[in-house]
């Protein structure tokens, strides 16, 4: 069968830039032109005017070539390539990532003194990622192909939609984490990666985020809290209401699932009825310096899913605020556990990050969390030890681990010196390590199953009522402290591999 004729937008070619603003503008022009081209042709197709060939537009690409080894301030963890060669990456959604791109490109230009090159790549933009959430699918007319595949608009039209015959669709072979996992194979003569994620991988996660959280990615802030209980959401909404009515807070809006936006209002607009799988709430501040909270629910699978997708937004830090089982008799219900090491029995990341890889505590995050506990509880020094312990947290994938033969898990927990057990913290920390996002965990002891204090309805309700508010305030305060820290200090070199990408 002869190949279909390619219908492509007019190319501007590849151009060199020594100014980050101009380079990002060129990236935006290529992406905007390509997505508009695909949207226009898809809209015509849905009305029956099918293209006489395959419509294809390409992601923008940025590259840099240097012939010298970098001689830079060794304290910095990003913003430069490690050795001579050509480095490139495809890019998407430049308006969403405008500040990030300007920063990363500026560092490249500053650190290497050579221009960057911007132009269309050879990676097609899948039509699914081009149409966006505001694209209105109309009825199909005049083109019902019995050999086509189901696609957008087909259910309403009662027919088949030959999408793959005329447009590019997502290609799983180009949507992976080989770069982040340090397993990408260098092709002879090919460019080395410039960023941890390709454009298709980013677009895939942006679509998943909107689906799982019911908020658009543009609302996510640079500081992300993960929790596993609705109680924290209620407290976060109450905090947001106070912050929005405080003209000195710097917070400007609160966004709830369904993209429900509240500004300087008496009551924040919270959704009623069914919620998405992982509802997200965003207390917004200038330059995305506010705080997002995602209720991931219970379990390591949810924790991995959420962090897999939030990672493409390149947040400055994420923290887990949740409940745990206290494993020591000396602990009390309501005590805090600041994780400084993790035992990983969650298994969901074993193929991406083998369990023999240590997940270190990050000093900058640990200091902020401890300082926040001191500030909120008004305890310090030796007195702080009454309510908080620093130690190893074990994360397991079996919520009913207590019912198993105690000689197995309990013995391993004792050997590991673990002081607490939950179902999300190690997963979130491990994915932070894997994706180079600063991470931490501050947990609250809600039961002590090894010592006869089980989580029962009456005691649990009272515990949540008295402890959740203070716990959340500590997490928020820690994030506010991290917000004041320079990015180059917060992003530790401990998170960077031997052959690291220049882009954060």
């Amino acid at each position: 069968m002869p190949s279909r004729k390619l219908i492509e937008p007019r190319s501007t070619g590849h151009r060199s830039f020594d100014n980050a603003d101009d380079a990002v503008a060129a990236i935006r022009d290529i992406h905007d032109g390509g997505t508009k081209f695909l949207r226009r042709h898809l809209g015509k197709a849905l009305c029956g005017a099918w293209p006489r060939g395959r419509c294809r537009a390409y992601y923008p690409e940025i590259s840099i070539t240097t012939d010298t080894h970098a001689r830079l301030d060794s304290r910095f963890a990003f913003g430069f390539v490690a050795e001579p060669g050509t480095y490139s990456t495809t890019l998407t959604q430049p308006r969403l990532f405008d500040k990030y791109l300007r920063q990363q490109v500026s560092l490249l230009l500053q650190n290497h003194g050579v221009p960057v090159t911007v132009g269309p790549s050879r990676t097609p933009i899948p039509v699914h990622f081009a149409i966006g959430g505001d694209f209105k699918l109309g009825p199909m007319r005049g083109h019902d192909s019995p050999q086509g595949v189901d696609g957008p608009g087909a259910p309403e039209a009662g027919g088949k939609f030959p999408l793959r015959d005329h447009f590019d669709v997502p290609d799983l072979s180009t949507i992976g984490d080989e770069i982040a996992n340090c397993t990408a194979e260098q092709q002879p003569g090919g460019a080395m990666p410039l960023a941890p994620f390709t454009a298709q991988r980013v677009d895939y996660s942006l679509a998943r985020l909107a689906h799982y959280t019911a908020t658009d990615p543009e609302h996510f802030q640079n500081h992300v809290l993960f929790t596993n209980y609705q109680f924290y959401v209620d407290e976060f909404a109450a905090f947001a209401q106070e912050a929005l009515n405080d003209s000195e807070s710097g917070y400007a809006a609160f966004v709830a699932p369904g993209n429900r936006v509240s500004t300087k209002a008496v009551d924040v607009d919270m959704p009623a009825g069914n919620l998405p799988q992982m509802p997200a709430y965003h207390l917004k501040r200038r330059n995305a310096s506010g705080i997002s909270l995602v209720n991931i629910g219970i379990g390591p699978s949810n924790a991995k899913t959420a962090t897999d997708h939030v990672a493409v937004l390149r947040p400055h830090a994420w923290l887990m605020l949740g409940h745990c089982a206290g494993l020591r008799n000396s602990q009390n219900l309501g005590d805090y556990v600041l994780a400084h090491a993790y035992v990983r029995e969650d298994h969901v990341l074993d193929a991406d990050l083998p369990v023999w890889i240590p997940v270190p505590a990050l000093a900058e995050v640990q200091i902020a969390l401890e300082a926040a506990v001191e500030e909120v509880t008004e305890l310090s020094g030796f007195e702080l030890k009454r309510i908080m312990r620093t130690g190893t947290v074990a994360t397991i994938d079996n919520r009913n681990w207590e019912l198993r033969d105690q000689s197995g898990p309990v013995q391993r927990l004792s050997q590991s010196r673990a002081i607490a057990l939950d179902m999300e913290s190690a997963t979130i920390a491990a994915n932070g390590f894997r994706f180079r996002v600063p991470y931490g965990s501050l947990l609250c002891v809600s039961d002590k199953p090894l010592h006869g204090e089980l989580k029962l309805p009456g005691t649990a309700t009272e515990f949540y009522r008295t402890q959740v508010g203070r716990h959340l305030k500590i997490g928020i305060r820690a994030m506010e402290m991290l917000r004041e820290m320079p990015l180059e200090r917060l992003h530790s070199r401990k998170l960077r591999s031997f052959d690291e990408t220049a882009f954060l």
Side-chain angles (χ1 to χ4, degrees):
M1 179 183 295
S3 60
R4 286 181 174 271
K5 173 187 175 184
L6 281 181
I7 305 171
E8 303 173 333
R10 180 177 298 176
S11 173
T12 57
H14 288 72
R15 293 179 289 166
S16 295
F17 298 93
D18 55 13
N19 177 280
D21 290 345
D22 294 339
V24 173
I27 292 167
R28 187 169 59 245
D29 288 344
I30 294 170
H31 186 267
D32 286 355
T35 53
K36 289 177 181 177
F37 171 86
L38 293 173
R39 288 161 63 99
R40 182 172 68 252
H41 281 280
L42 179 62
K44 291 179 179 179
L46 290 170
C47 293
W50 285 87
R52 297 182 179 277
R54 172 174 289 278
C55 291
R56 174 171 289 172
Y58 300 93
Y59 282 114
E61 177 181 64
I62 187 170
S63 64
I64 187 171
T65 299
T66 177
D67 58 5
T68 62
H69 286 82
R71 296 179 180 176
L72 305 161
D73 190 329
S74 62
R75 295 171 298 176
F76 293 161
F78 60 94
F80 58 90
V81 298
E83 60 185 31
T86 297
Y87 300 77
S88 70
T89 187
T90 52
L91 299 167
T92 189
Q93 303 297 331
R95 295 181 186 279
L96 176 64
F97 292 100
D98 181 78
K99 184 180 179 182
Y100 167 79
L101 289 174
R102 291 175 192 274
Q103 178 195 53
Q104 303 305 307
V105 175
S106 292
L107 288 172
L108 276 181
L109 295 170
Q110 171 186 322
N111 288 328
H112 293 288
V114 295
V116 296
T117 300
V118 174
S121 70
R122 301 312 299 169
T123 302
I125 303 175
V127 69
H128 300 71
F129 298 152
I131 60 177
D134 61 341
F135 187 85
K136 304 303 182 185
L137 293 171
M140 294 195 321
R141 295 192 298 272
H143 196 96
D144 183 18
S145 170
Q147 302 302 318
V149 296
D150 292 329
E156 295 88 343
K160 295 290 184 177
F161 188 69
L163 190 66
R164 293 174 184 266
D165 290 347
H166 298 275
F167 298 92
D168 291 292
V169 297
D171 180 3
L172 289 179
S173 68
T174 64
I175 303 176
D177 286 326
E178 292 82 7
I179 301 173
N181 288 349
C182 303
T183 59
E185 295 184 3
Q186 176 63 30
Q187 299 300 318
M192 291 172 279
L194 190 58
F197 300 108
T198 63
Q200 278 217 52
R201 171 65 169 84
V202 172
D203 270 338
Y204 171 80
S205 280
L206 295 180
R208 293 290 83 198
L209 270 183
H211 171 73
Y212 284 124
T213 70
T215 56
D216 291 340
E218 66 190 57
H219 295 305
F220 271 83
Q221 302 296 285
N222 284 327
H223 308 88
V224 184
L225 297 174
F226 296 105
T227 189
N228 49 13
Y229 284 100
Q230 178 65 29
F231 299 96
Y232 287 85
V233 173
D234 297 338
E235 290 292 335
F236 191 59
F239 176 86
Q241 184 170 314
E242 292 182 8
L244 292 182
N245 290 319
D246 178 2
S247 60
E248 303 298 321
S249 72
Y251 295 106
F254 180 75
V255 181
N259 297 313
R260 306 162 78 96
V261 179
S262 304
T263 54
K264 302 293 183 182
V266 175
D267 295 308
V268 297
D269 186 10
M270 293 290 283
N274 294 332
L275 289 172
Q277 185 173 346
M278 300 179 194
Y281 305 80
H282 313 281
L283 184 53
K284 301 181 71 171
R285 206 168 181 270
R286 187 174 177 270
N287 292 327
S289 62
I291 300 171
S292 293
L293 181 141
V294 185
N295 183 2
I296 59 176
I298 296 175
S301 179
N302 280 4
K304 178 183 183 298
T305 298
T307 48
D308 276 350
H309 301 316
V310 173
V312 305
L313 296 172
R314 310 316 292 142
H316 294 176
W318 63 40
L319 303 176
M320 176 65 195
L321 296 182
H323 300 154
C324 64
L327 301 179
R328 303 301 179 93
N329 195 36
S330 57
Q331 292 170 302
N332 296 311
L333 299 187
D335 282 358
Y336 297 114
V337 173
L338 176 57
H340 76 178
Y342 301 90
V343 173
R344 294 171 51 202
E345 293 200 13
D346 53 331
H347 301 301
V348 294
L349 280 169
D350 289 0
D352 294 296
L353 194 76
V355 292
W356 54 261
I357 295 176
V359 178
L362 304 181
E364 296 81 4
V365 177
Q366 300 296 98
I367 291 171
L369 280 169
E370 184 167 345
V373 175
E374 290 184 352
E375 182 177 312
V376 173
T377 64
E378 299 183 347
L379 296 174
S380 61
F382 193 64
E383 287 299 306
L384 189 62
K385 293 181 179 293
R386 293 182 183 275
I387 64 165
M388 186 181 79
R389 292 188 62 171
T390 300
T392 298
V393 170
T395 292
I396 199 167
D397 59 359
N398 179 7
R399 177 60 187 85
N400 297 317
W401 62 275
E402 307 102 314
L403 303 181
R404 299 185 63 185
D405 179 1
Q406 297 296 291
S407 64
V410 174
Q411 180 177 326
R412 292 197 301 276
L413 291 171
S414 179
Q415 289 175 315
S416 72
R417 313 303 197 265
I419 64 173
L421 180 144
D422 79 342
M423 297 189 69
E424 299 86 22
S425 289
T427 310
I428 287 172
N431 244 6
F433 179 87
R434 183 163 76 108
F435 292 132
R436 290 75 164 169
V437 177
Y439 52 84
S441 301
L442 182 72
L443 306 176
C444 192
V445 176
S446 61
D447 62 338
K448 295 170 57 182
L450 298 183
H451 306 96
E453 295 189 55
L454 301 179
K455 189 181 295 182
L456 301 174
T459 56
T461 300
E462 178 63 19
F463 167 80
Y464 295 141
R465 187 179 65 82
T466 59
Q467 296 296 330
V468 168
R470 187 170 71 167
H471 192 191
L472 179 68
K473 286 180 182 178
I474 292 170
I476 291 173
R477 186 69 191 106
M479 284 303 201
E480 291 175 338
M481 292 177 182
L482 292 173
R483 181 174 68 209
E484 301 305 317
M485 190 177 297
L487 198 59
E488 58 271 16
R489 181 183 167 198
L490 178 58
H491 279 266
S492 170
R493 288 172 295 174
K494 289 192 289 290
L495 299 181
R496 312 294 278 180
S497 65
F498 294 165
D499 298 317
E500 196 55 69
T501 62
F503 280 21
L504 188 64

